[in-house]
Structures are given as structure tokens and as C-alpha cells.
Amino acid sequence: MRRPFVAGNWKMNLNWEQARQLVADLKAKVRPDPPLDLAVCPPFVYLIPVGREIQGSPFRLGAQNVYFQEKGAFTGEIAPSMLKDAGCTYVIIGHSERRHILGETGDLLAKKVRAAQKAGLHVIYCVGEKLDEREANRTEDVLARQIDEVFGPDVSPTDITVAYEPVWAIGTGRNATPQQAQEAHRFIRMRLARVYNDGLASGLRIQYGGSVTAANARDLMSQPDVDGALVGGASLKADEFSRIIEATIAAKNL
Ligand code: PGA
């Protein structure tokens, strides 16, 4: 049985006072020992203080990005060991905004995943097709490529979560239907079984992301291959995010 995992990706949002308030509200609303894994992923500059605020709560800390080198002349970048130092358990790699706005390539992402795992971070690796790719029936080709260019026997399947985030669903208010999500998650799991084997692939968690809300979470999370959510906009509201967490617990009968 895969333990569900719900993470909030704050992206480039909130000032410090808002971040502190959000964490305080989440701590008040979310039960202290829930039957799933939880994380918040603030901007780099808030990692350490948010880490302090979530102490004693079920939330763990995640970063939104990382570089693959350990140290050196890479102005503006952050090393995996620095994220560990800052208290991170998780790091998001390959978010569609980094692929499509910041131009990150599969080759770069493959290096980041390995460097992050080497430093002891658990990776949330994002994949997902754009609207024109879905409309051209190329969703599976895109997902296969994004899996194949990063996964390999040297990537630990127990230290990675895949997040399926169709680009057309991110921040648009248009979520994938539960059936669309299940089909994509099933395909991703089959593809992972080619890299590892059926047993390892069936233990690997796949989150859904893209306009998840308290209203649609239960139906999405009820799908057998959907193991949690990577939540953007709705993770900035304590009430909404805590209801997504409760909906996940209910959907999985935990
Ligand atoms: P959204 O973002 O929930 O605001 O659509 C999800 C994500 O990009 O991780």
C-alpha cells in the first residue's frame, strides 16, 4: 500500500508575514499525526524560517529547485547539500514552469535528480504534456520521454515521487478529469516498470497536480494510481489545503 503524499508548492508567492501565518493556520487545522506524508515548498529564502515554524507538525520541508553541482562558481544557484543543511526533506525537480519558462532540459533534470538523491533528498519529479501535445494525441509520447530521459537503474525508486502535472491544468482552474489522471498515472507506472520492475514500480508514488481544489480532490484521489497531490494555488489557503488533505485521507479510506 502506497502512503499518500500531499505537497504544497508555494511557487514565487507570499511575503514572510503571510508565510508565517499560513503555517500557523495549517498547524491549527491539520491533525497532528495524519496517515499520509505532507510537505510545504516555500521559496528558497523562506526555507529556514518555515522549517522552524513547522517543527512539531506533520509537515516536512521541500525546495522548489536545486542545482546539480556541489559547490563552485554558479552564481545564483543552490547546491543539494545546502538544501539538506536548510532542513529540506524534499526537492521539486522538473516543474513545468522550470521546463517551459526557464528552459530546463531533460539532460539537466537527469543530473539534478541524481545529485539531489546523492545528497539524501527525496525528489518530486514533475512530468506532463502541454495542451497542443494532448490534442495531437501525443500525451503518452511526452510522458515516456520525460520518464526515460531521467530514470535509470542509478536513480533510487524509493527516494523519488513522480508528479503528473498536465501543463494545461496548472493554474488554469481546469483540472484533468479523474479518468484522464488515472490513465496518465497508469501509463507512467507501466513506463517505470520498464526501468525497474513491476514490484518497484507499484511501490512508487505518483501525485497528481494541476488545479487541485478541495472540491475536486476526493474524486481525483480516489483513482487507484493517484497517490496524492502536488498543489499550487490552493496550498496558499490553509482552509483549502487542509480540506484537500482530509479529502485524500477519505478517498483512500485511511
Ligand atoms: P496549481 O499548480 O495547483 O496552482 O494548478 C500546481 C503546480 O504547479 O504544482
Side-chain angles (χ1 to χ4, degrees):
M1 176 73 186
R2 296 180 292 271
R3 185 175 163 92
F5 177 21
V6 176
N9 173 12
W10 294 1
K11 310 193 180 185
M12 199 174 73
N13 290 300
L14 307 181
N15 60 32
W16 169 240
E17 183 45 35
Q18 293 164 333
R20 201 195 53 72
Q21 190 61 52
L22 174 57
V23 173
D25 292 345
L26 283 174
K27 282 168 79 171
K29 285 177 193 291
V30 176
R31 44 173 130 162
D33 195 14
L36 76 180
D37 291 338
L38 298 174
V40 287
C41 305
F44 283 136
V45 293
Y46 300 137
L47 284 171
I48 291 174
V50 167
R52 228 173 265 138
E53 300 290 324
I54 60 176
Q55 268 179 28
S57 86
F59 289 94
R60 296 290 168 269
L61 197 61
Q64 300 173 17
N65 183 28
V66 68
Y67 198 53
F68 66 89
Q69 296 282 5
E70 229 355 271
K71 64 178 165 95
F74 305 103
T75 302
E77 294 297 328
I78 308 278
S81 62
M82 295 172 181
L83 294 182
K84 280 298 280 185
D85 260 358
C88 289
T89 302
Y90 301 103
V91 60
I92 299 170
I93 293 178
H95 191 278
S96 79
E97 286 143 22
R98 299 221 54 93
R99 289 179 191 266
H100 302 303
I101 303 176
L102 284 307
E104 296 195 358
T105 62
D107 180 47
L108 176 66
L109 300 177
K111 289 181 185 151
K112 289 186 175 200
V113 167
R114 284 161 179 76
Q117 285 196 339
K118 196 163 160 233
L121 292 160
H122 183 105
V123 172
I124 300 172
Y125 175 62
C126 303
V127 298
E129 80 287 0
K130 295 193 279 189
L131 184 60
D132 60 319
E133 293 165 335
R134 175 163 281 269
E135 285 173 345
N137 279 325
R138 288 181 43 230
T139 298
E140 292 191 350
D141 295 344
V142 172
L143 297 178
R145 175 174 48 76
Q146 292 173 338
I147 293 292
D148 294 353
E149 61 197 5
V150 157
F151 280 86
D154 57 338
V155 170
S156 160
T158 51
D159 298 313
I160 194 161
T161 295
V162 175
Y164 169 61
E165 299 204 306
V167 179
W168 47 271
I170 296 177
T172 57
R174 178 184 168 194
N175 60 285
T177 65
Q179 292 69 26
Q180 285 172 325
Q182 170 57 23
E183 276 169 25
H185 284 226
R186 184 88 213 112
F187 177 79
I188 291 166
R189 202 176 297 290
M190 279 165 42
R191 199 76 190 178
L192 290 166
R194 290 166 51 135
V195 181
Y196 303 108
N197 56 48
D198 286 346
L200 288 173
S202 71
L204 210 151
R205 290 185 296 198
I206 307 175
Q207 297 173 317
Y208 168 78
S211 297
V212 176
T213 63
N216 62 29
R218 187 161 178 163
D219 283 349
L220 285 161
M221 298 304 126
S222 298
Q223 298 301 313
D225 284 288
V226 177
D227 308 315
L230 181 57
V231 185
S235 77
L236 301 172
K237 298 176 209 133
D239 191 54
E240 187 83 7
F241 194 44
S242 61
R243 286 197 288 136
I244 291 171
I245 294 165
E246 283 304 320
T248 305
I249 295 169
K252 297 299 183 194
N253 295 314
L254 296 172

